[in-house]
Amino acid sequence: MVAADRAGPSTLVRIGQTDLLFDCGRAVLMRGVAVGMTARDLAALFVTHMHSDHTTDYNDVITTRWITNTDPRPLQAFGPVGFGKFTDATLAMLENDIHYRMAHHADLPHRPQVTVREVSEGLVWEAGGIRVMAAPTDHSPVHPTVGFRIEAEGKVVTIAGDTVPCAGLASLCRGADVYVQTVIRRQVVEKVPLQRFRDILDYHSDIAQAAQTARAAGVRTLVLNHPVPAPRPGTEPEWIAEAKAHFDGEVLLANDLLKVEA
Ligand SMILES: [Zn+2]
Ligand SMILES: [Zn+2]
């Protein structure tokens, strides 16, 4: 949903100087500026699925990285099966812009470069003692989708994306210090008099399910992310309490630029 104070779904995981970006929703680079994240210096981009809210600004990440680097520095991009085709289509969409800029700037002899790897399960990226694992999630009928688990400096962060509880999600969450999960508030969504909106109940974890996943996996901190519908001001404690009914650990409700230490 478009909201004045909420950009689209994106999560930055920063380990030392290494920036790993998970999903690239609306205004991700604007929000990134606030925390010193740039497309130019991203170590890698990971995409959980190709729903538009998670990929709206993929083209912006590609273009901005391209025009702010002097050398071709391919964007390392990871996503589920189909992400390669999605990337090709995104680059095709940018063809006018690519042509304009290369014709205009003598010092821009190269096209934007993206190195895509389609992933489903297991180790997908490793550098400097940081490991990123993927596992399939369940966002049916959207298929395939993946979640990610980042291990570094003895800590674990899980980026679940949009998914209901499933075996892949459980494996990603095991013993995580921080577990970031898209959540819906079921009793609010159920009352919306619009079937198209209520359809989202099919393929998202509600708050209780996220909390149950966190408890079963022995998670330390649960972050209720990408909340649908956007919490009405003043109702935030209700979201937290709903999770706390099923989970003893720390529960945070994400706002833009929420920072969590693992
Ligand atoms: Zn989705
Ligand atoms: Zn979503």
Side-chain angles (χ1 to χ4, degrees), residues 9 49 51 53-54 139 162 182 204 226:
H49 64 302
H51 251 153
D53 53 329
H54 294 248
H139 191 36
D162 298 357
T182 298
H204 285 297
H226 185 3

Side-chain angles (χ1 to χ4, degrees), residues 170-186:
S171 71
L172 292 171
C173 288
R174 200 175 323 109
D177 294 277
V178 179
Y179 158 41
V180 181
Q181 173 68 61
T182 298
V183 288
I184 57 166
R185 193 155 182 228
R186 183 171 295 276

Side-chain angles (χ1 to χ4, degrees), residues 1-55:
M1 296 291 111
V2 181
D5 57 350
R6 284 188 181 271
S10 302
T11 305
L12 174 67
V13 177
R14 174 170 282 161
I15 307 114
Q17 305 283 314
T18 303
D19 280 354
L20 305 176
L21 184 64
F22 294 82
D23 288 336
C24 41
R26 182 181 292 122
V28 60
L29 294 186
M30 288 176 66
R31 286 292 187 264
V33 169
V35 293
M37 183 206 84
T38 63
R40 186 189 60 210
D41 292 325
L42 273 184
L45 169 68
F46 302 84
V47 169
T48 59
H49 64 302
M50 277 81 81
H51 251 153
S52 54
D53 53 329
H54 294 248
T55 54

Side-chain angles (χ1 to χ4, degrees), residues 100-123:
Y100 300 148
R101 293 182 194 279
M102 289 183 67
H104 184 193
H105 303 298
D107 65 347
L108 192 58
H110 53 272
R111 298 170 56 83
Q113 293 178 21
V114 186
T115 304
V116 173
R117 200 173 131 208
E118 296 184 342
V119 301
S120 54
E121 189 150 28
L123 181 67

Side-chain angles (χ1 to χ4, degrees), residues 115-168:
T115 304
V116 173
R117 200 173 131 208
E118 296 184 342
V119 301
S120 54
E121 189 150 28
L123 181 67
V124 298
W125 189 88
E126 186 172 27
I130 305 165
R131 289 155 51 89
V132 179
M133 267 75 68
T137 52
D138 184 354
H139 191 36
S140 303
V142 179
H143 184 78
T145 59
V146 291
F148 296 98
R149 173 185 175 98
I150 305 95
E151 298 179 352
E153 300 174 352
K155 305 283 187 177
V156 175
V157 173
T158 302
I159 308 292
D162 298 357
T163 179
V164 296
C166 62

